[in-house]
Short mmCIF file of all heavy atoms in Angstrom, two decimals:
data_model
loop_
_atom_site.label_atom_id
_atom_site.label_comp_id
_atom_site.label_asym_id
_atom_site.label_seq_id
_atom_site.Cartn_x
_atom_site.Cartn_y
_atom_site.Cartn_z
N GLY A 1 -125.12 -45.86 -146.80
CA GLY A 1 -126.30 -45.07 -146.46
C GLY A 1 -126.31 -44.68 -144.93
O GLY A 1 -125.40 -44.96 -144.19
N LYS A 2 -127.25 -43.85 -144.60
CA LYS A 2 -127.26 -43.39 -143.22
C LYS A 2 -127.60 -44.50 -142.14
O LYS A 2 -128.05 -45.52 -142.55
CB LYS A 2 -128.32 -42.20 -143.03
CG LYS A 2 -128.00 -40.96 -143.80
CD LYS A 2 -129.00 -39.92 -143.48
CE LYS A 2 -128.54 -38.50 -144.11
NZ LYS A 2 -129.56 -37.55 -143.76
N GLY A 3 -127.25 -44.23 -141.01
CA GLY A 3 -127.54 -45.18 -139.95
C GLY A 3 -127.43 -44.62 -138.57
O GLY A 3 -127.45 -43.50 -138.39
N THR A 4 -127.32 -45.49 -137.60
CA THR A 4 -127.17 -45.08 -136.22
C THR A 4 -125.80 -44.58 -135.98
O THR A 4 -124.85 -44.65 -136.80
CB THR A 4 -127.53 -46.13 -135.17
OG1 THR A 4 -126.46 -47.15 -135.17
CG2 THR A 4 -128.86 -46.87 -135.49
N ALA A 5 -125.55 -43.97 -134.75
CA ALA A 5 -124.22 -43.45 -134.54
C ALA A 5 -123.20 -44.59 -134.25
O ALA A 5 -122.09 -44.38 -134.32
CB ALA A 5 -124.26 -42.73 -133.17
N PHE A 6 -123.74 -45.78 -134.20
CA PHE A 6 -122.89 -47.01 -134.05
C PHE A 6 -122.46 -47.64 -135.46
O PHE A 6 -121.93 -48.69 -135.61
CB PHE A 6 -123.47 -48.02 -133.25
CG PHE A 6 -123.40 -47.77 -131.76
CD1 PHE A 6 -124.73 -47.41 -131.14
CD2 PHE A 6 -122.38 -47.83 -131.09
CE1 PHE A 6 -124.71 -47.07 -129.89
CE2 PHE A 6 -122.38 -47.52 -129.63
CZ PHE A 6 -123.59 -47.20 -129.09
N ARG A 7 -122.91 -46.89 -136.60
CA ARG A 7 -122.63 -47.56 -137.92
C ARG A 7 -121.14 -47.75 -138.09
O ARG A 7 -120.71 -48.61 -138.90
CB ARG A 7 -123.22 -46.70 -138.97
CG ARG A 7 -122.64 -45.24 -139.23
CD ARG A 7 -123.42 -44.50 -140.18
NE ARG A 7 -123.04 -43.16 -140.30
CZ ARG A 7 -123.50 -42.26 -139.53
NH1 ARG A 7 -124.38 -42.45 -138.59
NH2 ARG A 7 -123.17 -40.96 -139.79
N SER A 8 -120.31 -46.86 -137.53
CA SER A 8 -118.84 -47.17 -137.60
C SER A 8 -118.11 -46.97 -136.18
O SER A 8 -118.26 -45.96 -135.68
CB SER A 8 -118.15 -46.25 -138.61
OG SER A 8 -118.49 -44.81 -138.40
N VAL A 9 -117.55 -48.14 -135.80
CA VAL A 9 -117.02 -48.09 -134.51
C VAL A 9 -115.65 -48.62 -134.50
O VAL A 9 -115.28 -49.64 -135.07
CB VAL A 9 -117.84 -49.10 -133.67
CG1 VAL A 9 -117.14 -49.31 -132.13
CG2 VAL A 9 -119.28 -48.62 -133.55
N GLY A 10 -114.68 -47.90 -133.84
CA GLY A 10 -113.32 -48.44 -133.48
C GLY A 10 -113.32 -48.83 -131.96
O GLY A 10 -113.46 -48.07 -131.15
N ILE A 11 -112.78 -50.08 -131.89
CA ILE A 11 -112.60 -50.52 -130.50
C ILE A 11 -111.25 -50.19 -130.01
O ILE A 11 -110.15 -50.76 -130.64
CB ILE A 11 -112.80 -52.13 -130.36
CG1 ILE A 11 -114.20 -52.40 -130.78
CG2 ILE A 11 -112.64 -52.60 -128.98
CD1 ILE A 11 -115.32 -51.85 -130.08
N GLY A 12 -111.01 -49.39 -129.03
CA GLY A 12 -109.75 -48.84 -128.65
C GLY A 12 -109.82 -47.47 -128.12
O GLY A 12 -110.93 -46.81 -128.21
N SER A 13 -108.72 -46.95 -127.52
CA SER A 13 -108.79 -45.59 -126.94
C SER A 13 -108.56 -44.49 -127.93
O SER A 13 -108.96 -43.44 -127.62
CB SER A 13 -107.60 -45.57 -125.99
OG SER A 13 -106.48 -45.81 -126.49
N THR A 14 -108.13 -44.84 -129.07
CA THR A 14 -107.90 -43.74 -130.19
C THR A 14 -108.65 -44.30 -131.44
O THR A 14 -108.65 -45.49 -131.75
CB THR A 14 -106.57 -43.47 -130.42
OG1 THR A 14 -105.81 -44.66 -130.89
CG2 THR A 14 -105.79 -42.85 -129.15
N LEU A 15 -109.13 -43.33 -132.28
CA LEU A 15 -109.80 -43.68 -133.53
C LEU A 15 -108.76 -44.04 -134.44
O LEU A 15 -107.85 -43.23 -134.84
CB LEU A 15 -110.71 -42.58 -134.01
CG LEU A 15 -111.68 -42.84 -135.14
CD1 LEU A 15 -112.83 -43.81 -134.50
CD2 LEU A 15 -112.21 -41.57 -135.63
N PRO A 16 -108.84 -45.21 -135.18
CA PRO A 16 -107.71 -45.63 -136.23
C PRO A 16 -108.02 -44.74 -137.47
O PRO A 16 -109.08 -44.09 -137.71
CB PRO A 16 -108.07 -47.06 -136.50
CG PRO A 16 -109.57 -47.13 -136.19
CD PRO A 16 -109.76 -46.26 -135.01
N ARG A 17 -106.94 -44.63 -138.22
CA ARG A 17 -106.92 -43.78 -139.42
C ARG A 17 -107.90 -44.19 -140.43
O ARG A 17 -108.50 -43.42 -141.12
CB ARG A 17 -105.49 -43.72 -140.04
CG ARG A 17 -104.50 -43.17 -139.25
CD ARG A 17 -104.48 -41.61 -139.43
NE ARG A 17 -103.72 -41.15 -140.64
CZ ARG A 17 -103.65 -39.98 -141.11
NH1 ARG A 17 -104.37 -38.99 -140.58
NH2 ARG A 17 -102.94 -39.54 -142.23
N SER A 18 -108.29 -45.54 -140.43
CA SER A 18 -109.32 -46.03 -141.37
C SER A 18 -110.67 -45.42 -141.16
O SER A 18 -111.54 -45.33 -142.08
CB SER A 18 -109.28 -47.61 -141.40
OG SER A 18 -109.67 -47.95 -140.04
N LEU A 19 -110.98 -44.97 -140.04
CA LEU A 19 -112.32 -44.42 -139.73
C LEU A 19 -112.35 -42.83 -139.67
O LEU A 19 -113.45 -42.33 -139.33
CB LEU A 19 -112.80 -44.99 -138.35
CG LEU A 19 -113.21 -46.54 -138.33
CD1 LEU A 19 -113.53 -46.98 -136.98
CD2 LEU A 19 -114.37 -46.78 -139.37
N VAL A 20 -111.14 -42.26 -139.82
CA VAL A 20 -111.20 -40.83 -139.79
C VAL A 20 -111.92 -40.20 -141.05
O VAL A 20 -111.65 -40.70 -142.24
CB VAL A 20 -109.69 -40.25 -139.64
CG1 VAL A 20 -109.64 -38.84 -139.77
CG2 VAL A 20 -109.10 -40.74 -138.43
N GLY A 21 -112.70 -39.29 -140.81
CA GLY A 21 -113.41 -38.67 -142.08
C GLY A 21 -114.60 -37.82 -141.59
O GLY A 21 -114.48 -37.08 -140.62
N VAL A 22 -115.70 -37.97 -142.28
CA VAL A 22 -116.79 -37.13 -142.18
C VAL A 22 -118.12 -37.81 -141.59
O VAL A 22 -119.08 -37.09 -141.33
CB VAL A 22 -117.27 -36.56 -143.58
CG1 VAL A 22 -116.08 -35.74 -144.09
CG2 VAL A 22 -117.71 -37.68 -144.46
N ASN A 23 -117.96 -39.09 -141.26
CA ASN A 23 -119.16 -39.84 -140.86
C ASN A 23 -119.28 -40.05 -139.31
O ASN A 23 -120.20 -40.87 -138.89
CB ASN A 23 -119.18 -41.22 -141.49
CG ASN A 23 -119.65 -41.05 -143.11
OD1 ASN A 23 -120.72 -40.44 -143.31
ND2 ASN A 23 -118.74 -41.43 -143.95
N GLY A 24 -118.48 -39.50 -138.58
CA GLY A 24 -118.61 -39.47 -137.06
C GLY A 24 -118.57 -40.89 -136.50
O GLY A 24 -119.43 -41.28 -135.75
N ALA A 25 -117.40 -41.50 -136.64
CA ALA A 25 -117.23 -42.84 -135.95
C ALA A 25 -116.93 -42.67 -134.53
O ALA A 25 -116.50 -41.68 -133.98
CB ALA A 25 -115.98 -43.52 -136.68
N LEU A 26 -117.34 -43.73 -133.83
CA LEU A 26 -117.12 -43.80 -132.36
C LEU A 26 -115.91 -44.54 -132.09
O LEU A 26 -115.64 -45.60 -132.71
CB LEU A 26 -118.29 -44.42 -131.72
CG LEU A 26 -119.71 -43.68 -131.64
CD1 LEU A 26 -120.85 -44.55 -131.13
CD2 LEU A 26 -119.62 -42.35 -130.97
N SER A 27 -115.17 -44.19 -131.04
CA SER A 27 -114.04 -44.88 -130.50
C SER A 27 -114.25 -45.19 -129.02
O SER A 27 -114.57 -44.26 -128.23
CB SER A 27 -112.75 -44.05 -130.69
OG SER A 27 -111.71 -44.65 -130.16
N LEU A 28 -114.23 -46.50 -128.61
CA LEU A 28 -114.49 -46.77 -127.34
C LEU A 28 -113.76 -48.09 -126.89
O LEU A 28 -113.50 -48.93 -127.80
CB LEU A 28 -115.93 -46.99 -127.02
CG LEU A 28 -116.86 -47.85 -128.11
CD1 LEU A 28 -116.95 -49.29 -127.55
CD2 LEU A 28 -118.18 -47.32 -128.10
N ASN A 29 -113.36 -48.11 -125.68
CA ASN A 29 -112.74 -49.44 -125.20
C ASN A 29 -113.83 -50.48 -124.81
O ASN A 29 -113.53 -51.57 -124.90
CB ASN A 29 -111.85 -49.11 -123.89
CG ASN A 29 -110.49 -48.40 -124.37
OD1 ASN A 29 -109.78 -48.91 -125.27
ND2 ASN A 29 -110.20 -47.23 -123.69
N SER A 30 -114.85 -49.95 -124.29
CA SER A 30 -116.04 -50.87 -123.86
C SER A 30 -117.32 -50.10 -124.03
O SER A 30 -117.45 -48.86 -124.06
CB SER A 30 -115.90 -51.35 -122.41
OG SER A 30 -116.11 -50.25 -121.51
N VAL A 31 -118.39 -50.92 -124.17
CA VAL A 31 -119.66 -50.31 -124.25
C VAL A 31 -120.04 -49.31 -123.15
O VAL A 31 -120.63 -48.35 -123.27
CB VAL A 31 -120.79 -51.36 -124.44
CG1 VAL A 31 -122.22 -50.85 -124.60
CG2 VAL A 31 -120.49 -52.12 -125.70
#
């Protein structure tokens, strides 16, 4: 279901392939 922009997060400088798609995952090294 829908959620905040933090519903899918990759910790690191690049977004991992597992999060690539249509739901707008965030990629970040730190908050």
